[in-house]
Amino acid sequence: MIQQFNQLSTLEKKAKPFLKWAGGKGKLLEQISTFLPPELSAGKIKRYIEPFVGSGAVFIYLSQLYPIDEYYIFDINPELILAYNTIKTDVNQLIERLETIQSQYFSLDPDRRKEYYYETRTRFNQNRRGINFDKYSETWIKRTSQLIFLNRTCFNGLFRVNSKGDFNVPMGRYKNPLINNAKNLVKISKLLQKTQIILGDFMACDQWVDAETFVYFDPPYKPISNTSAFTSYSQQRFDDAEQLRLRDLFVKLDRKQAKLMLSNSDPKNEDVNNNFFEDAYQGYRIERVKASRNINSKATKRGKIDELVIMNYETRV
């Protein structure tokens, strides 16, 4: 435990996620790290796969601490995958554009900042249909800079889209948000040089999994109540049927002898008799960690709750 804490403290000088992200694991790294497979430290894991990369907190953490040969990150959100590929391909031009945006934004009074935010959000949504998400171009730099700006200045750092795929988060209340974190972006770009970045459903990872692979699943969480539901990272819904489809993949990859870890909400926070995950992952190891719940319509419903960590292996904890 002390060794893991020391490793985490060194991350203050290392890369961190470039986006704020609902459900991001940055604040849970210390707890999650105690459940990592021992094979990581022993150098027996040759490939790391994250099928729901999101802000990439776990990917960024592992890639700076362990001797892993290959990384594969996936997400079904095309905006997110475009951003990762842009940072990997041309981080310097992205930094230049972000510096311009930051300078413009900081020069404005509060009313003009609000106009700037909503004008940028409108252009971001209007231009989506003209973006070729399959082929890199300089338009990706502009789009990624807009995404980072909106993420850094919007309410609660959410990425949320409506049924049409439009980003619809209102402006947040930040005095001087860090829009252009150039040093961090350069560090992330270096990490991505040995990373395959793939747009696709979580099932797509199957072909790269073998006995020397560690897979970490961080899917959209199962809502623990009607008011806490938040699965709008993309236009696709992630309901119970999707949770069980993911369970089926977990079982399939377990048969390949890969090391598997999965995070999810704990329905027992609201209903102690709700055994959804115990039933779905019967026979696998299920542990609980404490997490802060920030996404809820009622402030009184926010605070520390249990989250699940499901594994197909034992650790020294």
Side-chain angles (χ1 to χ4, degrees):
M1 182 71 173
I2 294 175
Q3 180 183 5
Q4 292 289 357
F5 180 78
N6 288 339
Q7 285 179 332
L8 283 164
S9 65
T10 65
L11 286 183
E12 293 179 6
K13 297 180 181 179
K14 293 183 179 291
K16 297 180 180 180
F18 67 97
L19 293 175
K20 300 177 184 178
W21 202 257
K25 291 298 176 287
K27 295 181 179 179
L28 283 178
L29 283 175
E30 185 174 350
Q31 295 182 75
I32 289 175
S33 67
T34 64
F35 296 115
L36 293 173
E39 289 80 1
L40 266 176
S41 297
K44 296 180 180 179
I45 298 296
K46 305 301 181 185
R47 182 179 296 133
Y48 174 73
I49 294 177
E50 194 165 334
F52 304 88
V53 68
S55 68
V58 176
F59 155 68
I60 291 169
Y61 169 66
L62 293 179
S63 63
Q64 295 175 98
L65 291 179
Y66 294 100
I68 303 171
D69 295 335
E70 300 176 339
Y71 298 86
Y72 289 77
I73 57 175
F74 298 74
D75 209 280
I76 202 168
N77 186 324
E79 303 288 358
L80 190 58
I81 293 301
L82 182 147
Y84 275 108
N85 274 311
T86 302
I87 293 170
K88 177 180 180 177
T89 304
D90 201 344
V91 70
N92 291 325
Q93 280 202 55
L94 174 62
I95 288 169
E96 288 179 11
R97 183 171 283 274
L98 283 170
E99 184 58 35
T100 298
I101 291 174
Q102 183 169 274
S103 297
Q104 290 174 344
Y105 188 72
F106 285 176
S107 70
L108 303 174
D109 62 38
D111 289 338
R112 280 294 295 131
R113 285 189 180 190
K114 186 174 182 179
E115 291 177 17
Y116 189 98
Y117 174 86
Y118 286 105
E119 287 169 1
T120 301
R121 193 182 76 170
T122 297
R123 289 196 302 272
F124 182 80
N125 289 330
Q126 289 177 341
N127 295 337
R128 186 178 73 254
R129 293 171 184 82
I131 298 292
N132 184 341
F133 286 90
D134 298 320
K135 185 178 181 181
Y136 182 81
S137 70
E138 288 196 4
T139 60
W140 286 25
I141 298 170
K142 180 178 181 180
R143 190 151 190 86
T144 300
S145 67
Q146 290 176 334
L147 173 64
I148 292 175
F149 166 74
L150 291 170
N151 179 260
R152 288 286 162 180
T153 55
C154 74
F155 175 75
N156 235 12
L158 293 178
F159 184 94
R160 184 185 65 201
V161 296
N162 60 23
S163 59
K164 296 179 181 178
D166 288 341
F167 180 81
N168 64 353
V169 184
M171 183 178 176
R173 297 178 180 178
Y174 305 104
K175 260 193 170 182
N176 294 298
L178 181 56
I179 297 166
N180 182 29
N181 191 342
K183 291 182 179 179
N184 191 59
L185 288 170
V186 169
K187 292 173 185 175
I188 293 174
S189 182
K190 289 178 180 178
L191 297 178
L192 292 174
Q193 298 311 308
K194 59 177 180 178
T195 304
Q196 297 296 318
I197 306 166
I198 301 168
L199 173 65
D201 180 80
F202 60 86
M203 294 292 291
C205 76
D206 180 16
Q207 61 182 299
W208 287 286
V209 176
D210 60 20
E212 295 182 316
T213 303
F214 174 41
V215 185
Y216 173 60
F217 297 100
D218 188 25
Y221 277 14
K222 177 177 171 60
I224 58 176
S225 69
N226 291 332
T227 58
S228 67
F230 183 83
T231 57
S232 302
Y233 306 104
S234 68
Q235 290 174 265
Q236 290 76 23
R237 289 181 56 81
F238 207 90
D239 54 17
D240 283 358
E242 289 294 287
Q243 296 286 358
L244 294 176
R245 189 164 70 94
L246 175 58
R247 184 276 318 275
D248 293 343
L249 176 64
F250 192 99
V251 172
K252 182 179 180 181
L253 300 187
D254 177 40
R255 292 175 182 149
K256 292 187 175 187
Q257 299 183 325
K259 302 303 177 186
L260 311 174
M261 176 190 282
L262 181 146
S263 296
N264 218 306
S265 58
D266 184 3
K268 292 184 182 297
N269 286 300
E270 293 286 333
D271 179 2
V272 294
N273 296 313
N274 190 326
N275 295 315
F276 180 87
F277 288 106
E278 284 82 359
D279 292 340
Y281 289 90
Q282 188 172 5
Y284 291 107
R285 180 183 176 192
I286 300 178
E287 300 285 351
R288 285 171 170 81
V289 297
K290 290 293 182 182
S292 296
R293 170 173 32 191
N294 294 319
I295 300 175
N296 198 294
S297 59
K298 297 180 180 179
T300 55
K301 290 282 189 176
R302 300 170 190 164
K304 293 290 184 181
I305 61 167
D306 285 337
E307 287 190 5
L308 302 178
V309 180
I310 303 172
M311 294 154 281
N312 72 335
Y313 56 85
E314 292 298 323
T315 64
R316 298 188 182 97
V317 176

